[in-house]
């Protein structure tokens, strides 16, 4: 099979990365996609650098079985801690979600906020990537450890989620008008986030990453040669019916069959 016709491998710690799959299915619908969610070990966001890096390498290895032309780490936490390690060993190119999100943040006017998991915010990866592009940028980061469980639970539009979002977003100064959703679970919480901070420009790191994928395909990687819609294969390291139900909300289409793979 030619390189252009090989699939794109996408992984996340859980089902949050399905928001990135949704963006890819809209932008490059003809591509074959393999999604791998490490639901058995979620969350990554409360774990140490060493553990997240090790998990990232294992997820990359599992995806290699499908001989992908590109791997997308659709998890900010794994991108912050495991991207260089996976890039060093992977036979195919690997991209994460932080650089694309940082690029969009650096281009936005004024101070920016970054919300993410404890491990993402603790890594300082967004600050470093934004300041590399604009050293004068003022950045305020807030770790929001309770948001991933709320999203995985499917409480997308709920008073409890509203009050948790408000508590975190109130930590950002009033002059912050742009906020990076530095976790691929957060786009599903947008109704609550928007209610708490109306009129904010939210940067969806997954959506901007899909644009980077499109650019790479336009270049040396090449688009799949068939124009029919590509298939989506979903693999999880642990599955429950609840995940299937909530996963469809992340994907914004029926999730279909889910395969369970051993790590
Ligand atoms: N979806 C992951 C991210 O983007 C976070 C979930 C987790 O804590 O595992 O950071």
């Amino acid at each position: 099979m030619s390189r252009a016709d090989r699939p794109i491998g996408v992984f996340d710690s859980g089902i949050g990365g399905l928001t990135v799959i949704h963006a890819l299915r809209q932008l490059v619908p003809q591509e074959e996609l393999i999604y791998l969610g490490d639901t058995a070990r979620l969350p990554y966001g409360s774990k140490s650098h060493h553990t997240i890096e090790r998990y990232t390498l294992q997820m990359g290895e599992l995806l290699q079985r499908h001989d992908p032309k590109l791997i997308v780490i659709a998890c900010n936490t794994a991108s912050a801690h495991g991207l260089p390690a996976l890039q060093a060993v992977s036979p195919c190119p690997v991209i994460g979600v932080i650089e694309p999100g940082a690029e969009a943040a650096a281009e936005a006017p004024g101070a920016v906020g970054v919300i993410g998991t404890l491990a993402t915010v603790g890594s300082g990866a967004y600050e470093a990537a934004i300041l590399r592009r604009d050293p004068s940028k003022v950045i305020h980061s807030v770790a929001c450890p309770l948001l991933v469980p709320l999203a995985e639970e499917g409480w997308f539009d709920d008073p409890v989620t509203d009050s948790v979002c408000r508590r975190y977003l109130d930590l950002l100064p009033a002059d912050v008008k742009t906020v990076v959703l530095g976790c691929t679970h957060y786009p599903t919480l947008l109704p609550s986030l928007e209610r708490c901070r109306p009129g904010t420009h939210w940067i969806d790191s997954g959506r901007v990453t899909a644009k980077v994928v499109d650019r790479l395909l336009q270049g040396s990687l090449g688009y799949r040669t068939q124009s029919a819609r590509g298939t989506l294969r979903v693999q999880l390291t642990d599955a429950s019916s609840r995940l299937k139900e909530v996963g469809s909300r992340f994907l914004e289409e029926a999730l279909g069959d889910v395969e369970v793979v051993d790590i």
Side-chain angles (χ1 to χ4, degrees), residues 63-258:
L63 281 175
Q64 280 310 329
R65 292 181 187 167
H66 306 282
D67 194 20
K69 61 180 170 186
L70 171 71
I71 289 180
V72 180
I73 306 182
C75 173
N76 287 264
T77 310
S79 301
H81 291 273
L83 178 64
L86 185 55
Q87 281 174 329
V89 297
S90 173
C92 70
V94 185
I95 63 164
V97 280
I98 290 190
E99 291 295 325
E103 191 177 321
E107 283 164 8
V112 297
V114 175
I115 57 173
T117 65
L118 275 168
T120 297
V121 169
S123 73
Y126 266 107
E127 282 88 343
I130 295 169
L131 292 174
R132 221 182 303 123
R133 293 167 167 89
D134 179 356
S136 66
K137 201 72 169 166
V138 176
I139 307 155
H140 301 274
S141 301
V142 177
C144 309
L146 293 179
L147 295 189
V148 167
L150 289 169
E152 292 265 331
E153 193 56 32
W155 291 18
F156 304 120
D157 209 348
D158 187 283
V160 172
T161 306
D162 280 9
S163 84
V164 175
C165 286
R166 179 158 296 113
R167 179 130 175 201
Y168 287 135
L169 292 175
D170 280 354
L171 298 172
L172 292 171
D175 67 330
V176 170
K177 304 288 182 218
T178 298
V179 176
V180 181
L181 302 175
C183 174
T184 50
H185 283 70
Y186 297 173
T188 58
L189 302 176
L190 263 174
S192 285
L193 294 166
E194 180 60 25
R195 263 195 297 280
C196 301
R197 224 175 158 91
T200 300
H201 170 46
W202 306 99
I203 295 174
D204 177 343
S205 59
R207 192 173 297 187
V208 288
T209 301
K211 289 188 187 152
V212 172
V213 171
D214 189 32
R215 278 209 302 266
L216 290 173
L217 297 178
Q218 230 171 74
S220 60
L221 287 183
Y223 291 107
R224 182 169 170 249
T225 48
Q226 276 103 322
S227 56
R229 194 166 202 227
T231 56
L232 166 64
R233 197 163 158 192
V234 177
Q235 298 191 324
L236 301 175
T237 53
D238 184 70
S240 71
S241 52
R242 179 119 192 84
L243 283 178
K244 260 191 103 164
E245 173 196 320
V246 179
S248 308
R249 291 285 301 271
F250 281 71
L251 187 60
E252 297 185 43
E253 62 180 282
L255 193 51
D257 290 336
V258 172

